[in-house]
Amino acid sequence: MSAPRCRRARPMLAALSAALPFAATAQVLSPAETRLDEISVSGAAAVPANAPADAVGAEAAALLRKPSLTQASPVGLNLNTPSRGASRLGLTPRETPASLDIVSGETIRLRGQSSVLEAVSQNGTGISIFGTPGFGLGAFSARGFAGQSSIQTLFDGTRLYVGANTLTFPFDTWNVERIEVLRGPASVLYGEGAIGGIVNVVSKKPLFTPLNVARVGLGSDGLVRAAIDSTGPIGESFAYRLNVSGNRADGWISPNGDFRNLAVSGALTWQATPDLAVTLSHDLGYQEPVRYWGTPLVNGRVLDSVRFNNYNVRDSKINWADNWTQLRTEWTPSADVTIRNTAYRLQSRRHWLDVEQYVYNPTTRLVDRSDYIDITHRQEQIGNRFDATFRGSLFGLPNQFTAGFDVNRITFRHDNNFTDNSFSDPPSSVALVGYDPGLFPADGRAKPAYVTHTNQASVFAENRLELTDRLSLLAGVRFDAPTLQRTNLLATEPANRFFERSYQALGYRFGLVYALSPDTTLYAQYATATDPVNSLISLSQSLANFRLSTGDQVEVGAKGLAFSGAVEWTLAGYRIVKKDLVSPVPGTQVGVQVGQQSSYGAEAALSWLPLAGWRIDANLALLQARYDNFGAFTGNTPIDVPEQVANLWINWAFARDWEARVGVQYVGAMFSDFANTGRRPDYALVTLGLDRQVTPASRLSFRVSNLLDTVYALDGTAAGGVNTNWYLGRPRTFEVAYTVAW
């Protein structure tokens, strides 16, 4: 696939020490204290200097001791955990009229999920991944909608505007406190581009009590991991947090199967007064991923002899560098007023130099290669988000109200070689096996193509009114007004060199929540959303005159706890309709904006402690998604949308200091083309884990991913009614890791 991409940054993979201290102690909690949720401990902006000493004990114990599966732990659905992912009012999932998953960072790390993509798809309800390095190694699909323009990814509630359908940060889970997955339209919270939902990655925050954690890991295919997390006070009013993690491997495919990455996160909190905290943070991510774009199919299948072959050129390059700087201020002048402000600067540099298309030619019995692509991205976003929350009464009823604004200035520059013949010609052909991958042509390198400047401003408000002791009404509204200016650096005619376009988008939501009992709630919601017809900040002139696509959703559901919290469960049913798709005109290269796409489905999630030492976590999503009006493709299933997605995790503490787990991820079949001729089969992946609590402060972990060595496709291309190429997921791999705290 040749989706647009990236620009570079210098390799910065610092060597991480593998010699980590193994002798340590950590505070072990009593049974009553283990009921503290790890999320609520590390989720605070900072633990005050006068906090009890066991605040850090809760985090250390949650990090390293074997979870007590007979009591509350950070593994469940977290229905009573306050969150700002689905509401700026800080409501819990049970108080929110929407479908929200909260997955703790420690759950993610215990399950061996080192990437955000794995963590979301293997834990979230009804959400799957697809894509190649052209998307930044993947994009999400949820509720019948797929791609970076329909499911937003946020970091600490801040979105990097997606350019050319590519997002490369966040990617590592070592610094993750929790991940919040909101399914369904979220434009009322985060603006255009969220009809399918949002994924909000929340980072760890500084603590005022010392804690240090380190991890080393080794695995198959030359895998090496090393990471360290350190936090604590600096004097009485400052606290810091530093997370560093690095990964490298030779990879499972050859040649060019090796990869390496580095993630560094630093934060400093100033507790100026008991009610005023200021946090400055900087996050850096550097990646050199596998230079792999797929495997050609022979007679519609992957041959065993070519499964581990890579047909990219020998000197191919992919590297991505992201820098996020944020200054967050939170002031609580009274118990009823909270004021927050976040100023930020986000920057991405990306580069691709690849041959990206491979098709087996049955006549010559060779692999024909094309799309010699050289692309760079340079992106910078400077912005500020402000909101204020007030708690009081309205018409004599308890009420919470939030209002604020969000402003951004985004500059995006795209260089490519699309105007050179080398972009598609001359194609080359190599043998299926025993081939020389060759080199990228010396000519045909990237030239400046276009630059865009986007100014975005929005205002938003949200209100929760408790109509009775059991019934509450939630309402929200957001208005966005982005303006795009694009300069075509290759155009020779002045009329084709520059254009400017302004958009307006209004999103709103109404929801009712009824407490059927103290532990069970029912809800209903109506929400609207807007999506760009492609990545907004990189819209081409051919798409600029199309308006934003609009959509709405109706959702009903129920959530609850039972048996003193031993069971947590959620149920939801919904219907979403998206209008104003760009529908192709048969026999032409143009489109008209008349299309419509819809989906309806049901979702369920369960966390259950059936017996002492056992825990079961499961979720299931079933949906039907269709193009209702899309030219010749009307009635077909949207591309990259599976209609069945399920996850199952079973934990068993079978002996003192020992715990085993098995995970199963099922993803239904999906299509790679609008005509639904390129079908990618369904697949199920099995993960095994075994943990040994060596000391109260250290853990040894062993994991097997893709136990059955399933061959499965994360993306694909189709031509002439047949599949031509599959982007394969990783085969069976092994890993052992040791984690220690002090």
Side-chain angles (χ1 to χ4, degrees):
M1 136 132 240
S2 56
R5 355 238 175 264
C6 78
R7 174 41 278 165
R8 63 148 272 96
R10 287 198 179 104
M12 308 168 353
L13 246 207
L16 292 174
S17 172
L20 297 173
F22 280 42
T25 59
Q27 191 168 351
V28 181
L29 302 183
S30 68
E33 289 171 313
T34 61
R35 305 188 73 85
L36 290 174
D37 194 316
E38 182 263 344
I39 288 178
S40 63
V41 172
S42 59
V47 177
N50 59 356
D54 64 2
V56 70
E59 178 163 303
L63 282 167
L64 296 170
R65 59 183 291 281
K66 176 173 63 64
S68 175
L69 300 182
T70 61
Q71 300 163 350
S73 75
V75 180
L77 300 183
N78 294 295
L79 294 180
N80 289 327
T81 299
S83 163
R84 287 170 57 83
S87 169
R88 298 190 187 277
L89 297 171
L91 306 178
T92 69
R94 280 206 308 122
E95 297 171 326
T96 306
S99 295
L100 176 67
D101 293 327
I102 299 179
V103 186
S104 78
E106 191 47 33
T107 295
I108 292 168
R109 288 181 285 275
L110 284 172
R111 291 175 177 174
Q113 297 152 350
S114 60
S115 74
V116 169
L117 292 170
E118 287 180 331
V120 172
S121 62
Q122 295 178 14
N123 298 315
T125 304
I127 188 163
S128 60
I129 59 172
F130 69 97
T132 66
F135 294 96
L137 286 184
F140 295 111
S141 175
R143 292 196 169 181
F145 300 89
Q148 309 284 13
S149 296
S150 293
I151 295 92
Q152 288 185 17
T153 300
L154 316 173
F155 185 64
D156 285 331
T158 299
R159 62 177 292 196
L160 174 68
Y161 275 75
V162 175
N165 298 305
T166 306
L167 189 70
T168 52
F169 189 89
F171 63 92
D172 190 273
T173 59
W174 178 252
N175 187 39
V176 170
E177 176 205 308
R178 67 180 182 271
I179 296 180
E180 303 167 335
V181 181
L182 173 64
R183 304 184 303 283
S187 293
V188 69
L189 294 168
Y190 303 105
E192 49 77 26
I195 193 169
I198 63 101
V199 173
N200 183 28
V201 179
V202 181
S203 64
K204 298 174 184 175
K205 304 301 188 292
L207 298 173
F208 274 84
T209 312
L211 173 65
N212 300 284
V213 183
R215 181 188 66 187
V216 291
L218 299 172
S220 52
D221 302 317
L223 176 68
V224 179
R225 303 190 193 276
I228 190 166
D229 174 13
S230 179
T231 185
I234 304 176
E236 295 185 354
S237 58
F238 287 90
Y240 77 94
R241 191 140 201 171
L242 177 64
N243 278 268
V244 183
S245 59
N247 307 274
R248 67 158 307 278
D250 299 328
W252 57 271
I253 198 163
S254 180
N256 297 325
D258 57 301
F259 71 86
R260 60 177 182 163
N261 59 56
L262 173 71
V264 180
S265 300
L268 180 67
T269 291
W270 175 35
Q271 194 75 45
T273 67
D275 52 23
L276 175 62
V278 180
T279 299
L280 175 66
S281 65
H282 183 79
D283 295 86
L284 176 149
Y286 180 77
Q287 300 180 74
E288 292 183 10
V290 176
R291 283 92 70 204
Y292 166 67
W293 291 89
T295 299
L297 303 183
V298 180
N299 297 324
R301 65 189 184 92
V302 177
L303 299 182
D304 291 340
S305 59
V306 305
R307 179 185 177 187
F308 302 106
N309 287 359
N310 190 356
Y311 295 90
N312 205 345
V313 290
R314 186 185 304 114
D315 58 343
S316 59
K317 298 177 182 178
I318 305 177
N319 49 62
W320 308 321
D322 297 271
N323 286 273
W324 292 51
T325 303
Q326 301 185 76
L327 179 65
R328 296 184 292 271
T329 303
E330 182 167 333
W331 180 38
T332 309
S334 72
D336 297 327
V337 178
T338 302
I339 298 174
R340 299 180 180 89
N341 190 83
T342 302
Y344 47 86
R345 178 179 182 266
L346 317 177
Q347 189 180 64
S348 286
R349 300 288 185 267
R350 311 181 186 116
H351 182 213
W352 290 261
L353 184 76
D354 299 281
V355 180
E356 299 184 4
Q357 289 293 324
Y358 323 118
V359 178
Y360 175 71
N361 187 328
T363 302
T364 63
R365 297 185 179 181
L366 299 175
V367 176
D368 296 334
R369 304 187 302 181
S370 59
D371 285 8
Y372 284 75
I373 292 179
D374 185 8
I375 296 177
T376 64
H377 291 176
R378 299 178 181 89
Q379 181 174 346
E380 180 183 64
Q381 177 179 330
I382 299 174
N384 191 88
R385 182 177 63 257
F386 171 89
D387 66 79
T389 301
F390 306 90
R391 304 166 191 86
S393 61
L394 181 65
F395 308 122
L397 301 173
N399 190 73
Q400 297 180 68
F401 174 73
T402 292
F405 65 85
D406 197 356
V407 292
N408 288 275
R409 167 76 171 178
I410 307 109
T411 300
F412 181 76
R413 175 166 173 156
H414 191 286
D415 299 349
N416 61 53
N417 63 342
F418 293 0
T419 57
D420 294 316
N421 290 334
S422 57
F423 172 62
S424 57
D425 297 313
S428 61
S429 299
V430 295
L432 266 175
V433 295
Y435 54 89
D436 179 359
L439 301 174
F440 197 92
D443 57 353
R445 296 302 175 96
K447 299 177 181 178
Y450 65 86
V451 62
T452 68
H453 299 283
T454 306
N455 294 314
Q456 180 271 343
S458 64
V459 292
F460 52 83
E462 190 175 5
N463 193 83
R464 180 177 185 256
L465 180 64
E466 298 182 39
L467 301 174
T468 70
D469 291 341
R470 294 191 173 192
L471 182 65
S472 61
L473 170 66
L474 188 75
V477 63
R478 178 178 174 124
F479 178 74
D480 283 87
T483 298
L484 170 68
Q485 299 173 335
R486 172 167 169 149
T487 302
N488 185 345
L489 303 177
L490 297 174
T492 57
E493 297 294 331
N496 297 327
R497 185 171 176 83
F498 177 84
F499 75 82
E500 180 175 338
R501 178 69 195 273
S502 296
Y503 300 89
Q504 294 183 348
L506 178 67
Y508 53 90
R509 174 176 70 178
F510 298 97
L512 286 171
V513 179
Y514 179 72
L516 191 64
S517 71
D519 290 326
T520 303
T521 58
L522 309 176
Y523 71 90
Q525 178 211 109
Y526 175 77
T528 65
T530 54
D531 275 1
V533 295
N534 208 321
S535 299
L536 180 65
I537 68 171
S538 55
L539 277 182
S540 65
Q541 191 160 6
S542 62
L543 297 175
N545 291 325
F546 292 121
R547 59 190 176 273
L548 299 176
S549 300
T550 60
D552 56 55
Q553 172 189 262
V554 175
E555 178 178 343
V556 295
K559 311 172 187 181
L561 295 85
F563 304 106
S564 301
V567 173
E568 293 181 275
W569 58 273
T570 65
L571 292 171
Y574 63 89
R575 176 172 172 81
I576 305 177
V577 177
K578 179 179 178 179
K579 302 177 181 178
D580 300 325
L581 278 69
V582 179
S583 180
V585 176
T588 72
Q589 298 296 317
V590 300
V592 293
Q593 197 167 18
V594 299
Q596 177 175 303
Q597 175 183 344
S598 67
S599 62
Y600 65 88
E603 298 167 344
L606 172 72
S607 182
W608 179 28
L609 301 171
L611 297 169
W614 287 84
R615 178 182 285 278
I616 298 174
D617 295 288
N619 57 60
L620 171 68
L622 304 173
L623 71 93
Q624 184 177 78
R626 293 292 181 269
Y627 291 122
D628 302 320
N629 182 2
F630 203 52
F633 308 125
T634 297
N636 288 358
T637 301
I639 61 174
D640 299 318
V641 172
E643 295 189 315
Q644 308 87 28
V645 178
N647 289 295
L648 171 67
W649 287 94
I650 301 176
N651 288 45
W652 179 31
F654 60 90
R656 179 179 176 83
D657 298 327
W658 287 90
E659 181 181 47
R661 68 179 56 83
V662 60
V664 180
Q665 178 191 20
Y666 175 79
V667 179
M670 62 191 88
F671 296 98
S672 301
D673 61 340
F674 293 120
N676 285 182
T677 57
R679 182 179 184 273
R680 306 203 298 271
D682 62 340
Y683 61 87
L685 304 179
V686 179
T687 300
L688 292 183
L690 180 64
D691 290 279
R692 161 69 170 160
Q693 201 71 37
V694 181
T695 71
S698 62
R699 175 189 292 266
L700 183 66
S701 304
F702 176 73
R703 300 183 182 94
V704 184
S705 300
N706 193 2
L707 176 69
L708 304 181
D709 202 24
T710 301
V711 179
Y712 63 103
L714 292 173
D715 208 329
T717 56
V722 297
N723 285 310
T724 59
N725 185 76
W726 280 352
Y727 184 85
L728 301 179
R730 65 178 178 176
R732 179 170 50 231
T733 57
F734 306 87
E735 181 179 349
V736 61
Y738 186 73
T739 309
V740 61
W742 66 98

